Amino acid sequence: MYKLLNAGFYRLKKEKIFWCLVVITILIAGSTLFNQIQHVQTWGKTGIDQILINYTNWIGIFIALFTSTFIGTEYANGTIRNKIIVGHSRVKIYVSNLIISIVVGTILELIYMLLICVIGILALGSIAMPAKEFAIILVNIFMIIIAYSSIFSFIALLCTNITMTTVISFILLLVMFVVNNLLGPTASADRYSYNITANERGELVKEITGINQNYPGDTKKKICQAIVYSMPLGQADIISSKFEKDINELYVLIIYAVIESVVITAVGIYVFRKKDLK
Amino acid sequence: MEYILETQNLCKYYKKNKVLNDLNIHVPKGAIYGLIGKNGAGKTTLIRVICGLQRPSKGNYCIYETENGKKINYVRKRIGAIIETPSIYFDMTAEENLKEQYKVIGLPIDDNLKELLSTVGLKNVDKKKVKDFSLGMKQRLGIAIALVGHPDFLILDEPINGLDPEGIIEIRELILKLNKENGITFLISSHYLDELSKVATHYGFINKGKIIKEISKKDLEEKCKRRIEIKVNNVQECVKYLEENKIEYTIKEDNIINIYSPINISELVIGLSKKNCIISDLHEKDASLESYYINLIGGDDNV
């Protein structure tokens, strides 16, 4: 697989879409910092905790775009044949493409975080959240990248048409967005009503004021939670929420992401091995 | 005889359509094997199955005496192939495409890269992206990519498509050179029978997913030898005359004789008439690969 990864990364260096995404990421980091710095006079230095993880809301779009074009090109040009003809197994081809997608997602995320850290710490203050919580969030972000990469690599490797791959990937993102919007409030509903204030880190904190009359019930909430947790977009939404994080929930998200990635990849490899390629 | 490629009752179905139908092919080591068949005969499907792009529905194939199974991928390292269209990255240059293939195979990039480009006639392409190449240039690059890793079995599906006459000659000479100097075995499928006849040492005729005939060039030439076919009323006298004059001949049927040696027709007619042997019909026959193929396929279609 080293040969396939070596070849893939060689190609990545010349891939226009990758460099476009790097530039877009830098622009997103820049505009985020600019907006936040504008509010320093009003709100004071709020630290970079929240803006550091906001990029998670974008990463799905970029992984979808990258994977559909990078892998889709292999089918469009027929170059996937070169790898099979010289004896590389279908499993290795699948996994190497998945790894490249994960690496690209990670690179983009790191570029964003690095820029936010370097410029943000000077202008807005440092990271205030506890180190353990920060570490778990980083793991969550990485797992979200893996989950997105698994899904979009699955689509790209099984759909031989680059246009269809891109369309299906973005339709899936849209579906996740709609489902998350519909089920998210139920998934995050609480038994109690709250008064919401901001803490010194800029996070929104809830203070109980009474019983929530609109609570959907435990069963309905759990079902909605399961659906939201199983979508990387839903996970990203929870991670980047302005509310104080529940550590236990973060661990659950990691487990969901791992299961999702493993299952999708296993099914993808199984189908790809049997696929007739033209 | 050692065979690089053998298939045993290879079948490939697409739903109800039997594209390969108990196909048995034998490609000898060191041969340039021409695979000839009309559109839809199963040539490209056969090549796709052998190259691992598709799984056979039934039957088996062996490459370098290794059966299609877990170990087949090891021997695939010795294969190069172009299937229908060259597999190249259009946003890269020729050199970058070759470097990519070097990395896929796991070979260090060396000076052979430039030599390879020169071999296929792509010397001065430098920074030009493949998307700006002509069809012929793309085809040449595809061949160069197939040659990366020094394969000893090359599978070429319509390799001269899109090439100009000069390019066709270059590719022909390249194939002959690689076969002679490097001992590379070729499996070439082509519609250009005339061109194929200039390179192939063996032929396989495929029709409706089956190999209907495999024949060496030598045997084919024997069957297609230029001859004069005469119909006579007295075969014995004719044979005597031909024997006396040391003229090569065969008796095709009761009163039809094929003459292979160059002869003077007038002398033949006069000589035979003196022996009361009258020629009632005379015509020259010169079977080419094309006519042999037409007769073969036509015959098969009529069965």
mmCIF file with all atom_site columns, all heavy atoms in Angstrom, chain A residues 165-178:
data_model
loop_
_atom_site.group_PDB
_atom_site.id
_atom_site.type_symbol
_atom_site.label_atom_id
_atom_site.label_alt_id
_atom_site.label_comp_id
_atom_site.label_asym_id
_atom_site.label_entity_id
_atom_site.label_seq_id
_atom_site.pdbx_PDB_ins_code
_atom_site.Cartn_x
_atom_site.Cartn_y
_atom_site.Cartn_z
_atom_site.occupancy
_atom_site.B_iso_or_equiv
_atom_site.pdbx_formal_charge
_atom_site.auth_seq_id
_atom_site.auth_comp_id
_atom_site.auth_asym_id
_atom_site.auth_atom_id
_atom_site.pdbx_PDB_model_num
ATOM 1   N N   . THR A 1 165 ? -20.967 11.258 -8.795 1.00 0.00 ? 165 THR A N   1
ATOM 2   C CA  . THR A 1 165 ? -20.347 11.183 -7.469 1.00 0.00 ? 165 THR A CA  1
ATOM 3   C C   . THR A 1 165 ? -20.486 12.507 -6.743 1.00 0.00 ? 165 THR A C   1
ATOM 4   O O   . THR A 1 165 ? -20.867 12.559 -5.569 1.00 0.00 ? 165 THR A O   1
ATOM 5   C CB  . THR A 1 165 ? -18.853 10.820 -7.604 1.00 0.00 ? 165 THR A CB  1
ATOM 6   O OG1 . THR A 1 165 ? -18.736 9.561  -8.244 1.00 0.00 ? 165 THR A OG1 1
ATOM 7   C CG2 . THR A 1 165 ? -18.168 10.756 -6.256 1.00 0.00 ? 165 THR A CG2 1
ATOM 8   N N   . THR A 1 166 ? -20.186 13.583 -7.447 1.00 0.00 ? 166 THR A N   1
ATOM 9   C CA  . THR A 1 166 ? -20.260 14.915 -6.836 1.00 0.00 ? 166 THR A CA  1
ATOM 10  C C   . THR A 1 166 ? -21.700 15.244 -6.461 1.00 0.00 ? 166 THR A C   1
ATOM 11  O O   . THR A 1 166 ? -21.959 15.740 -5.345 1.00 0.00 ? 166 THR A O   1
ATOM 12  C CB  . THR A 1 166 ? -19.721 15.987 -7.808 1.00 0.00 ? 166 THR A CB  1
ATOM 13  O OG1 . THR A 1 166 ? -18.479 15.541 -8.352 1.00 0.00 ? 166 THR A OG1 1
ATOM 14  C CG2 . THR A 1 166 ? -19.509 17.314 -7.122 1.00 0.00 ? 166 THR A CG2 1
ATOM 15  N N   . VAL A 1 167 ? -22.615 14.945 -7.348 1.00 0.00 ? 167 VAL A N   1
ATOM 16  C CA  . VAL A 1 167 ? -24.030 15.246 -7.090 1.00 0.00 ? 167 VAL A CA  1
ATOM 17  C C   . VAL A 1 167 ? -24.530 14.456 -5.878 1.00 0.00 ? 167 VAL A C   1
ATOM 18  O O   . VAL A 1 167 ? -25.152 15.012 -4.966 1.00 0.00 ? 167 VAL A O   1
ATOM 19  C CB  . VAL A 1 167 ? -24.888 14.930 -8.341 1.00 0.00 ? 167 VAL A CB  1
ATOM 20  C CG1 . VAL A 1 167 ? -26.367 14.924 -8.014 1.00 0.00 ? 167 VAL A CG1 1
ATOM 21  C CG2 . VAL A 1 167 ? -24.596 15.939 -9.449 1.00 0.00 ? 167 VAL A CG2 1
ATOM 22  N N   . ILE A 1 168 ? -24.248 13.154 -5.875 1.00 0.00 ? 168 ILE A N   1
ATOM 23  C CA  . ILE A 1 168 ? -24.709 12.299 -4.771 1.00 0.00 ? 168 ILE A CA  1
ATOM 24  C C   . ILE A 1 168 ? -24.102 12.752 -3.449 1.00 0.00 ? 168 ILE A C   1
ATOM 25  O O   . ILE A 1 168 ? -24.788 12.807 -2.423 1.00 0.00 ? 168 ILE A O   1
ATOM 26  C CB  . ILE A 1 168 ? -24.361 10.811 -5.043 1.00 0.00 ? 168 ILE A CB  1
ATOM 27  C CG1 . ILE A 1 168 ? -25.189 10.287 -6.215 1.00 0.00 ? 168 ILE A CG1 1
ATOM 28  C CG2 . ILE A 1 168 ? -24.615 9.955  -3.806 1.00 0.00 ? 168 ILE A CG2 1
ATOM 29  C CD1 . ILE A 1 168 ? -24.758 8.921  -6.722 1.00 0.00 ? 168 ILE A CD1 1
ATOM 30  N N   . SER A 1 169 ? -22.824 13.103 -3.473 1.00 0.00 ? 169 SER A N   1
ATOM 31  C CA  . SER A 1 169 ? -22.149 13.539 -2.239 1.00 0.00 ? 169 SER A CA  1
ATOM 32  C C   . SER A 1 169 ? -22.817 14.791 -1.682 1.00 0.00 ? 169 SER A C   1
ATOM 33  O O   . SER A 1 169 ? -23.068 14.889 -0.475 1.00 0.00 ? 169 SER A O   1
ATOM 34  C CB  . SER A 1 169 ? -20.664 13.818 -2.514 1.00 0.00 ? 169 SER A CB  1
ATOM 35  O OG  . SER A 1 169 ? -20.014 12.654 -2.954 1.00 0.00 ? 169 SER A OG  1
ATOM 36  N N   . PHE A 1 170 ? -23.111 15.735 -2.546 1.00 0.00 ? 170 PHE A N   1
ATOM 37  C CA  . PHE A 1 170 ? -23.700 16.980 -2.048 1.00 0.00 ? 170 PHE A CA  1
ATOM 38  C C   . PHE A 1 170 ? -25.168 16.818 -1.676 1.00 0.00 ? 170 PHE A C   1
ATOM 39  O O   . PHE A 1 170 ? -25.661 17.481 -0.756 1.00 0.00 ? 170 PHE A O   1
ATOM 40  C CB  . PHE A 1 170 ? -23.481 18.124 -3.048 1.00 0.00 ? 170 PHE A CB  1
ATOM 41  C CG  . PHE A 1 170 ? -22.103 18.714 -2.915 1.00 0.00 ? 170 PHE A CG  1
ATOM 42  C CD1 . PHE A 1 170 ? -21.049 18.226 -3.659 1.00 0.00 ? 170 PHE A CD1 1
ATOM 43  C CD2 . PHE A 1 170 ? -21.848 19.712 -1.988 1.00 0.00 ? 170 PHE A CD2 1
ATOM 44  C CE1 . PHE A 1 170 ? -19.764 18.724 -3.498 1.00 0.00 ? 170 PHE A CE1 1
ATOM 45  C CE2 . PHE A 1 170 ? -20.570 20.226 -1.824 1.00 0.00 ? 170 PHE A CE2 1
ATOM 46  C CZ  . PHE A 1 170 ? -19.528 19.725 -2.582 1.00 0.00 ? 170 PHE A CZ  1
ATOM 47  N N   . ILE A 1 171 ? -25.849 15.937 -2.360 1.00 0.00 ? 171 ILE A N   1
ATOM 48  C CA  . ILE A 1 171 ? -27.238 15.644 -1.961 1.00 0.00 ? 171 ILE A CA  1
ATOM 49  C C   . ILE A 1 171 ? -27.237 15.011 -0.572 1.00 0.00 ? 171 ILE A C   1
ATOM 50  O O   . ILE A 1 171 ? -28.069 15.344 0.281  1.00 0.00 ? 171 ILE A O   1
ATOM 51  C CB  . ILE A 1 171 ? -27.927 14.731 -2.986 1.00 0.00 ? 171 ILE A CB  1
ATOM 52  C CG1 . ILE A 1 171 ? -28.244 15.527 -4.252 1.00 0.00 ? 171 ILE A CG1 1
ATOM 53  C CG2 . ILE A 1 171 ? -29.197 14.115 -2.414 1.00 0.00 ? 171 ILE A CG2 1
ATOM 54  C CD1 . ILE A 1 171 ? -28.827 14.710 -5.388 1.00 0.00 ? 171 ILE A CD1 1
ATOM 55  N N   . LEU A 1 172 ? -26.287 14.120 -0.346 1.00 0.00 ? 172 LEU A N   1
ATOM 56  C CA  . LEU A 1 172 ? -26.187 13.469 0.964  1.00 0.00 ? 172 LEU A CA  1
ATOM 57  C C   . LEU A 1 172 ? -25.903 14.499 2.065  1.00 0.00 ? 172 LEU A C   1
ATOM 58  O O   . LEU A 1 172 ? -26.472 14.446 3.152  1.00 0.00 ? 172 LEU A O   1
ATOM 59  C CB  . LEU A 1 172 ? -25.095 12.406 0.926  1.00 0.00 ? 172 LEU A CB  1
ATOM 60  C CG  . LEU A 1 172 ? -24.981 11.512 2.154  1.00 0.00 ? 172 LEU A CG  1
ATOM 61  C CD1 . LEU A 1 172 ? -26.263 10.732 2.364  1.00 0.00 ? 172 LEU A CD1 1
ATOM 62  C CD2 . LEU A 1 172 ? -23.814 10.549 2.026  1.00 0.00 ? 172 LEU A CD2 1
ATOM 63  N N   . LEU A 1 173 ? -25.023 15.438 1.760  1.00 0.00 ? 173 LEU A N   1
ATOM 64  C CA  . LEU A 1 173 ? -24.727 16.507 2.732  1.00 0.00 ? 173 LEU A CA  1
ATOM 65  C C   . LEU A 1 173 ? -25.978 17.315 3.026  1.00 0.00 ? 173 LEU A C   1
ATOM 66  O O   . LEU A 1 173 ? -26.256 17.666 4.181  1.00 0.00 ? 173 LEU A O   1
ATOM 67  C CB  . LEU A 1 173 ? -23.649 17.446 2.179  1.00 0.00 ? 173 LEU A CB  1
ATOM 68  C CG  . LEU A 1 173 ? -22.200 17.101 2.494  1.00 0.00 ? 173 LEU A CG  1
ATOM 69  C CD1 . LEU A 1 173 ? -21.266 18.028 1.749  1.00 0.00 ? 173 LEU A CD1 1
ATOM 70  C CD2 . LEU A 1 173 ? -21.922 17.158 3.986  1.00 0.00 ? 173 LEU A CD2 1
ATOM 71  N N   . LEU A 1 174 ? -26.719 17.602 1.983  1.00 0.00 ? 174 LEU A N   1
ATOM 72  C CA  . LEU A 1 174 ? -27.958 18.372 2.133  1.00 0.00 ? 174 LEU A CA  1
ATOM 73  C C   . LEU A 1 174 ? -28.963 17.598 2.989  1.00 0.00 ? 174 LEU A C   1
ATOM 74  O O   . LEU A 1 174 ? -29.608 18.161 3.873  1.00 0.00 ? 174 LEU A O   1
ATOM 75  C CB  . LEU A 1 174 ? -28.542 18.644 0.740  1.00 0.00 ? 174 LEU A CB  1
ATOM 76  C CG  . LEU A 1 174 ? -29.749 19.587 0.668  1.00 0.00 ? 174 LEU A CG  1
ATOM 77  C CD1 . LEU A 1 174 ? -29.396 20.969 1.188  1.00 0.00 ? 174 LEU A CD1 1
ATOM 78  C CD2 . LEU A 1 174 ? -30.252 19.686 -0.768 1.00 0.00 ? 174 LEU A CD2 1
ATOM 79  N N   . VAL A 1 175 ? -29.075 16.310 2.726  1.00 0.00 ? 175 VAL A N   1
ATOM 80  C CA  . VAL A 1 175 ? -29.987 15.451 3.508  1.00 0.00 ? 175 VAL A CA  1
ATOM 81  C C   . VAL A 1 175 ? -29.578 15.466 4.980  1.00 0.00 ? 175 VAL A C   1
ATOM 82  O O   . VAL A 1 175 ? -30.413 15.604 5.870  1.00 0.00 ? 175 VAL A O   1
ATOM 83  C CB  . VAL A 1 175 ? -29.994 14.014 2.943  1.00 0.00 ? 175 VAL A CB  1
ATOM 84  C CG1 . VAL A 1 175 ? -30.648 13.046 3.908  1.00 0.00 ? 175 VAL A CG1 1
ATOM 85  C CG2 . VAL A 1 175 ? -30.684 13.977 1.586  1.00 0.00 ? 175 VAL A CG2 1
ATOM 86  N N   . MET A 1 176 ? -28.271 15.347 5.215  1.00 0.00 ? 176 MET A N   1
ATOM 87  C CA  . MET A 1 176 ? -27.781 15.378 6.605  1.00 0.00 ? 176 MET A CA  1
ATOM 88  C C   . MET A 1 176 ? -28.128 16.702 7.262  1.00 0.00 ? 176 MET A C   1
ATOM 89  O O   . MET A 1 176 ? -28.531 16.747 8.434  1.00 0.00 ? 176 MET A O   1
ATOM 90  C CB  . MET A 1 176 ? -26.251 15.188 6.621  1.00 0.00 ? 176 MET A CB  1
ATOM 91  C CG  . MET A 1 176 ? -25.794 13.764 6.466  1.00 0.00 ? 176 MET A CG  1
ATOM 92  S SD  . MET A 1 176 ? -24.071 13.577 6.953  1.00 0.00 ? 176 MET A SD  1
ATOM 93  C CE  . MET A 1 176 ? -23.317 13.131 5.444  1.00 0.00 ? 176 MET A CE  1
ATOM 94  N N   . PHE A 1 177 ? -27.964 17.769 6.498  1.00 0.00 ? 177 PHE A N   1
ATOM 95  C CA  . PHE A 1 177 ? -28.254 19.118 7.028  1.00 0.00 ? 177 PHE A CA  1
ATOM 96  C C   . PHE A 1 177 ? -29.730 19.236 7.410  1.00 0.00 ? 177 PHE A C   1
ATOM 97  O O   . PHE A 1 177 ? -30.077 19.703 8.495  1.00 0.00 ? 177 PHE A O   1
ATOM 98  C CB  . PHE A 1 177 ? -27.863 20.150 5.969  1.00 0.00 ? 177 PHE A CB  1
ATOM 99  C CG  . PHE A 1 177 ? -28.150 21.566 6.369  1.00 0.00 ? 177 PHE A CG  1
ATOM 100 C CD1 . PHE A 1 177 ? -27.333 22.217 7.277  1.00 0.00 ? 177 PHE A CD1 1
ATOM 101 C CD2 . PHE A 1 177 ? -29.240 22.258 5.840  1.00 0.00 ? 177 PHE A CD2 1
ATOM 102 C CE1 . PHE A 1 177 ? -27.600 23.526 7.659  1.00 0.00 ? 177 PHE A CE1 1
ATOM 103 C CE2 . PHE A 1 177 ? -29.506 23.560 6.220  1.00 0.00 ? 177 PHE A CE2 1
ATOM 104 C CZ  . PHE A 1 177 ? -28.688 24.209 7.135  1.00 0.00 ? 177 PHE A CZ  1
ATOM 105 N N   . VAL A 1 178 ? -30.587 18.778 6.510  1.00 0.00 ? 178 VAL A N   1
ATOM 106 C CA  . VAL A 1 178 ? -32.040 18.868 6.753  1.00 0.00 ? 178 VAL A CA  1
ATOM 107 C C   . VAL A 1 178 ? -32.439 17.991 7.944  1.00 0.00 ? 178 VAL A C   1
ATOM 108 O O   . VAL A 1 178 ? -33.170 18.427 8.835  1.00 0.00 ? 178 VAL A O   1
ATOM 109 C CB  . VAL A 1 178 ? -32.817 18.457 5.477  1.00 0.00 ? 178 VAL A CB  1
ATOM 110 C CG1 . VAL A 1 178 ? -34.285 18.266 5.767  1.00 0.00 ? 178 VAL A CG1 1
ATOM 111 C CG2 . VAL A 1 178 ? -32.615 19.495 4.382  1.00 0.00 ? 178 VAL A CG2 1
#
